[in-house]
Amino acid sequence: MPQEKSLYQDAAQPIAARVDDLLARMTLDEKLAQLGSLWVYELFEGQTYSEAKANTRLQHGMGQITRLGGASNSNPTASAGLANTIQRYLVEQTRLGIPAIVHEETCSGYMAMGATCFPQIIGAACAWEPDLVERMTTVIREQMRAVGGHQSLAPVLDIVRDPRWGRVEETFGEDPYLVSRLGTAYVKGLQGDDLGSGVIGTGKHFLGYGVTEGGMNWAPAHVSERELREIFLPPFETAIKETNLGSIMNAYHEIDGVPLATSRAVFRDLLRDELGFEGIVVSDYFAIDMIGAYHHVAANKTESSVLAMLAGIDVELPSTDCYGDPLRQALGQGTVDMALVDDAVRLILRTKFQLGLFENPYVDAGRAADIFDTGDQRALAREIAQKSMVLLKNDGDLLPLRKDFGSIAVIGPNADSVRNLMGDYSYPAHIESLTEMMRATDNVLGMTTPEAITMVETPVPMVSVLQGIQAAVSSNTQVRYAKGCDILGDSTDGFAEAVEIAQQSDVAILVVGGKSGLTDDCTCGEARDRATLNLTGVQEDLIRAVHATGTPVVVVLINGRPLTFPWLLDHVPAILEAWLPGEEGGNAVADVLFGDANPGGKLVMSFPRAVGQIPTFYNHKPSGGRSHWKEHYVETNVKPQFPFGFGLSYTQFAFGSLKLSTDTARAGDVVDISVEVTNTGDHTGDEVVQLYIHDVLASATRPVKELKGFRRVTLQPGETKTVTFHLSVNQLAFYDRDMVFVVEPGTIEVMVGNSSVNLPCTGSFEIVSDPVDVSAAKVYVCPVSVS
């Protein structure tokens, strides 16, 4: 007779009942296994799955498998087959048959062979188009699910105010509202309408990670509680409240002497109790061991495990370390309560039931490849890349370029590189990183088989900017190429060739910038923090040499962070910020240079004039952003090189007068703010209409401007559209002197335009209600309608 199913195996039962039933059956070994994780290569012998290693590593089950696609050389078909093999072992050869969650990185697409490599997220953010981000992560969800993936370690919801920080490129920028809107869209695309077919989003890094000492990764942050709540918390809070975000990851750093991985106040009091977060909290990689090894607030791994468990870290990533035998010892010593472990396991099991893993642990490996590298996916990657680009300068309308020039010189270290079009969480970048770390003497990954992975150039077919230009121009145009110099280093041996081809050409396109990744030869990306923000090596000298020929110069920046380039601003007529545009970046840059796409991207970070100006951000307090009564520095203007929200177009736009639906309002009311926008130029183009407010007089200091709404609109030449922001008064609440989240009476200035400094449409209304606590009635989104 067939064996009767246990309650937890019955899909008709409520998830809560299934969790309770399964938890009651588990041994301590099986519970601890659920708190841990395992690199996929830890199951390999060479490059092949090893049943013998599975018998050792998976005998009690496993909470998560780390980067099944991202830490192997598996293509989609092989990856799906490997996922099935691992899940089959867990389902059929462990006592309780609990499948594992497979997590992956997805900052610029699913980080795996064959997966779409989208523009790095700071570029995607510059499109100012939440729907575009949601479409991107919908593709990520479909690709991950096709190969057995269940959790994305993204989005990065950190507010970043220091461009020296290497991880700037992983963020949506400096503004809490913009990051909230784009981050929420990111999660919606990942998780879908039902986690049964969705991928868990992971908001990271909780909390206050993007504003550290000296712009250095893992360094302390010095932020007050008010700033933490008003600036750094909103993107996480919005994602939790608006999308039921499934996971949170801790930040590496400390605030006020407390490493975040040990902070009960942050993870239990704030995240769980106040925000009502119900998902799983995962550790950033190695963060639990770092409590002792890096922060020195624990004497050993056992103490580290206790502090993390008390704080509320449910899952240890990327491999089981402190939550293995060290946590077992802590339980035996009574320094941590078994109830805390049970609580964490309960959350993990609930998540697995929500994902449908018990009913559908396997995928169709035969169909996996059909979900990858499709024409529609490539078209989307190209569209995002086009819309991400920010035109910083275009004197004399040098751009767009003619396609029928007699000769074009394409010069620079990034001109013919496809690798450098990708961000730090692209597949090649992480294969490089894994290879570097496993060969290092300290070998933090504990990897003993360097043959487990091999280097790759690209995850999918790609073309360079040079190749994109060659494909775009007329058949009569001669395209000459010279590298000129490297990203790093001081060799000028290639200058002569670059100068020679520039002299022979009608225009010179210099493609410069950086290389993103985590290895020593990279100039941006995680752990690649900088002390200066100029172009590295001799790249600016190369531009100067080419400029001296008298040939018109266009500079294309391929880079992951804001740079300072005062000489370029004074001498180069056209500058295009292309960020790290991904697999279709070469074609997309050419599209913009030659006018097949009109740049409409807007900056999501202020560009400083000099490193000594940092931090510079638009939403500073009244006493910020200037130097006393003299205003400016001795050496330079205090204003940014380029302001937040800035970006040019090949056409021009005019704003009509601003109209308000009322001149008085109360807490809970909605004020409609309308403005007409007209394309007064000759090209179809996109304008990002931006709404800012200023609370004139308040009980606590308020920013000089705050973004509260935005909408990207496409306009034909001569076309006018009306953009209406439906602003809730509750969106204007802040923490008063007593740290109560209130709407206060007073005058609210309203400003609409196309950047944080170009705001031609102004008005005001009065809040006439008494101060009121609206902490239970927060409004996170300003809807926008276009007619």
Side-chain angles (χ1 to χ4, degrees):
M1 294 181 64
Q3 187 174 359
E4 184 178 349
K5 284 186 176 180
S6 301
L7 188 151
Y8 77 88
Q9 297 170 315
D10 184 356
Q13 297 295 322
I15 287 179
R18 298 178 74 184
V19 169
D20 288 343
D21 180 68
L22 179 52
L23 185 64
R25 299 172 184 270
M26 296 175 74
T27 65
L28 177 58
D29 286 337
E30 290 164 339
K31 290 177 180 179
L32 292 179
Q34 291 302 307
L35 303 181
S37 55
L38 194 72
W39 283 98
V40 66
Y41 59 71
E42 293 183 73
L43 296 174
F44 285 1
E45 192 66 55
Q47 294 189 11
T48 306
Y49 171 82
S50 167
E51 186 84 2
K53 288 194 173 182
N55 288 335
T56 301
R57 306 292 179 88
L58 300 179
Q59 59 180 318
H60 300 299
M62 184 55 60
Q64 299 217 4
I65 301 296
T66 295
R67 295 191 198 168
L68 194 147
S72 74
N73 290 133
S74 300
N75 62 29
T77 301
S79 190
L82 180 58
N84 286 342
T85 298
I86 294 171
Q87 299 289 25
R88 186 167 289 108
Y89 182 96
L90 291 169
V91 170
E92 297 180 1
Q93 298 191 53
T94 63
R95 188 176 72 91
L96 295 173
I98 305 173
I101 292 173
V102 174
H103 77 257
E104 301 279 4
E105 300 283 2
T106 68
C107 191
S108 55
Y110 169 34
M111 195 184 76
M113 280 289 288
T116 307
C117 183
F118 289 105
Q120 182 68 308
I121 207 64
I122 195 168
C126 287
W128 289 60
E129 197 166 338
D131 289 347
L132 203 60
V133 172
E134 186 173 347
R135 287 168 59 197
M136 178 183 79
T137 54
T138 297
V139 171
I140 294 171
R141 164 166 50 90
E142 292 168 349
Q143 291 183 343
M144 280 186 61
R145 270 294 190 164
V147 296
H150 314 108
Q151 180 171 355
S152 156
L153 299 190
V156 174
L157 298 176
D158 300 316
I159 303 296
V160 61
R161 287 179 164 177
D162 194 327
R164 295 173 297 178
W165 189 42
R167 306 192 75 170
V168 163
E169 65 185 64
E170 301 171 35
T171 77
F172 295 101
E174 74 180 43
D175 179 74
Y177 183 74
L178 181 63
V179 176
S180 296
R181 295 286 289 113
L182 297 176
T184 297
Y186 194 107
V187 177
K188 284 182 178 178
L190 281 178
Q191 297 192 170
D193 297 326
D194 177 13
L195 273 186
S197 58
V199 166
I200 296 169
T202 306
K204 64 186 191 183
H205 306 85
F206 206 70
L207 185 63
Y209 189 41
V211 57
T212 56
E213 285 180 357
M216 295 183 293
N217 203 35
W218 298 1
H222 304 285
V223 291
S224 67
E225 183 183 359
R226 178 175 284 103
E227 188 177 16
L228 202 67
R229 285 176 171 273
E230 291 187 348
I231 301 297
F232 299 98
L233 182 62
F236 294 93
E237 182 174 0
T238 304
I240 291 167
K241 298 296 185 180
E242 294 286 308
T243 69
N244 197 26
L245 177 65
S247 180
I248 287 284
M249 175 181 281
N250 77 280
Y252 283 123
H253 72 306
E254 66 165 81
I255 295 178
D256 196 24
V258 179
L260 270 294
T262 71
S263 178
R264 181 184 179 92
V266 167
F267 287 100
R268 294 199 182 274
D269 299 344
L270 175 59
L271 181 64
R272 294 287 187 197
D273 296 344
E274 185 174 332
L275 298 186
F277 177 69
E278 296 181 343
I280 54 174
V281 175
V282 300
S283 80
D284 206 338
Y285 283 16
F286 315 108
I288 298 179
D289 182 53
M290 284 170 56
I291 293 170
Y294 185 75
H295 292 290
H296 304 294
V297 295
N300 51 51
K301 292 178 186 292
T302 297
E303 289 187 10
S304 293
S305 73
V306 172
L307 289 173
M309 182 58 62
L310 290 173
I313 308 295
D314 302 312
V315 180
E316 181 177 26
L317 303 182
S319 187
T320 305
D321 182 14
C322 298
Y323 274 8
D325 287 337
L327 182 56
R328 184 195 311 276
Q329 293 174 17
L331 288 165
Q333 295 165 359
T335 52
V336 67
D337 196 318
M338 189 65 205
L340 291 179
V341 171
D342 285 347
D343 288 344
V345 174
R346 185 176 284 107
L347 289 169
I348 294 163
L349 295 177
R350 187 184 69 174
T351 302
K352 292 185 175 186
F353 283 119
Q354 290 171 334
L355 286 164
L357 295 187
F358 286 81
E359 286 67 53
N360 299 292
Y362 310 120
V363 295
D364 186 345
R367 292 188 62 252
D370 297 339
I371 314 298
F372 287 76
D373 200 25
T374 68
D376 287 346
Q377 291 165 356
R378 281 197 167 269
L380 178 59
R382 190 164 180 166
E383 179 185 356
I384 297 173
Q386 291 169 345
K387 290 184 173 181
S388 73
M389 293 182 197
V390 182
L391 184 60
L392 297 176
K393 186 180 180 184
N394 193 24
D395 286 357
D397 293 331
L398 177 58
L399 296 176
L401 299 172
R402 290 168 30 212
K403 293 184 179 181
D404 61 353
F405 276 126
S407 178
I408 295 174
V410 182
I411 299 166
N414 279 342
D416 198 28
S417 168
V418 292
R419 164 63 182 83
N420 291 1
L421 299 176
M422 295 177 278
D424 67 339
Y425 273 76
S426 63
Y427 180 70
H430 270 263
I431 295 299
E432 293 167 3
S433 176
L434 288 174
T435 302
E436 181 184 80
M437 285 192 285
M438 70 191 178
R439 290 172 180 167
T441 55
D442 56 354
N443 194 356
V444 295
L445 299 181
M447 195 169 188
T448 56
T449 53
E451 299 79 15
I453 52 174
T454 57
M455 299 296 292
V456 295
E457 176 70 11
T458 63
V460 288
M462 295 174 62
V463 300
S464 67
V465 173
L466 171 64
Q467 293 168 320
I469 291 170
Q470 290 170 330
V473 298
S474 73
S475 58
N476 297 321
T477 300
Q478 183 176 6
V479 178
R480 297 182 170 94
Y481 165 68
K483 184 177 181 181
C485 67
D486 293 323
I487 295 292
L488 295 168
D490 56 7
S491 174
T492 59
D493 292 348
F495 279 26
E497 181 185 9
V499 167
E500 180 181 358
I501 69 167
Q503 291 171 330
Q504 299 169 356
S505 301
D506 298 300
V507 66
I509 302 170
L510 283 106
V511 189
V512 296
K515 177 183 179 181
S516 177
L518 289 75
T519 51
D520 289 348
D521 62 336
C522 293
T523 62
C524 55
E526 185 172 2
R528 305 313 296 145
D529 311 318
R530 292 194 59 191
T532 61
L533 291 174
N534 57 297
L535 285 166
T536 54
V538 293
Q539 293 182 87
E540 186 169 308
D541 293 334
L542 173 66
I543 299 171
R544 289 173 186 255
V546 172
H547 175 265
T549 67
T551 301
V553 170
V554 176
V555 169
V556 178
L557 297 169
I558 306 291
N559 194 60
R561 57 155 60 88
L563 297 175
T564 59
F565 37 80
W567 185 90
L568 269 66
L569 280 180
D570 290 340
H571 295 88
V572 172
I575 304 173
L576 179 69
E577 175 60 80
W579 303 109
L580 298 161
E583 69 176 49
E584 284 292 320
N587 290 321
V589 168
D591 292 338
V592 171
L593 290 176
F594 296 101
D596 292 323
N598 189 346
K602 304 286 185 177
L603 296 180
V604 297
M605 279 193 76
S606 305
F607 277 41
R609 295 176 183 271
V611 169
Q613 186 184 7
I614 295 169
T616 180
F617 47 92
Y618 87 91
N619 54 346
H620 58 78
K621 296 297 183 69
S623 59
R626 62 185 180 189
S627 180
H628 305 296
W629 66 92
K630 296 291 188 183
E631 186 174 4
H632 299 298
Y633 292 106
V634 171
E635 300 88 352
T636 188
N637 193 301
V638 299
K639 304 301 181 185
Q641 182 175 250
F642 294 105
F644 174 82
F646 172 82
L648 302 174
S649 172
Y650 295 154
T651 193
Q652 297 81 43
F653 300 93
F655 287 81
S657 59
L658 183 144
K659 297 179 181 178
L660 298 175
S661 62
T662 182
D663 56 7
T664 61
R666 297 174 176 274
D669 290 348
V670 172
V671 179
D672 293 337
I673 303 161
S674 299
V675 65
E676 289 186 343
V677 187
T678 301
N679 183 344
T680 60
D682 299 326
H683 300 270
T684 299
D686 289 2
E687 183 61 292
V688 179
V689 185
Q690 303 166 38
L691 166 68
Y692 296 82
I693 66 94
H694 174 222
D695 190 335
V696 176
L697 182 66
S699 61
T701 59
R702 304 304 303 141
V704 295
K705 293 169 188 167
E706 296 177 81
L707 181 73
K708 290 299 179 183
F710 61 90
R711 182 65 172 267
R712 183 167 177 152
V713 294
T714 301
L715 295 168
Q716 304 296 320
E719 184 180 12
T720 297
K721 290 183 178 179
T722 299
V723 178
T724 302
F725 299 93
H726 307 285
L727 178 69
S728 170
V729 172
N730 286 19
Q731 278 186 265
L732 310 179
F734 62 92
Y735 287 91
D736 68 9
R737 290 194 175 200
D738 297 319
M739 292 304 295
V740 179
F741 195 69
V742 299
V743 168
E744 287 187 347
T747 302
I748 301 297
E749 294 178 342
V750 176
M751 300 158 279
V752 176
N754 62 4
S755 81
S756 60
V757 298
N758 185 35
L759 299 166
C761 304
T762 60
S764 66
F765 65 90
E766 198 82 11
I767 299 176
V768 296
S769 54
D770 292 333
V772 56
D773 182 347
V774 295
S775 57
K778 291 184 179 181
V779 176
Y780 301 101
V781 178
C782 176
V784 185
S785 56
V786 179
S787 59

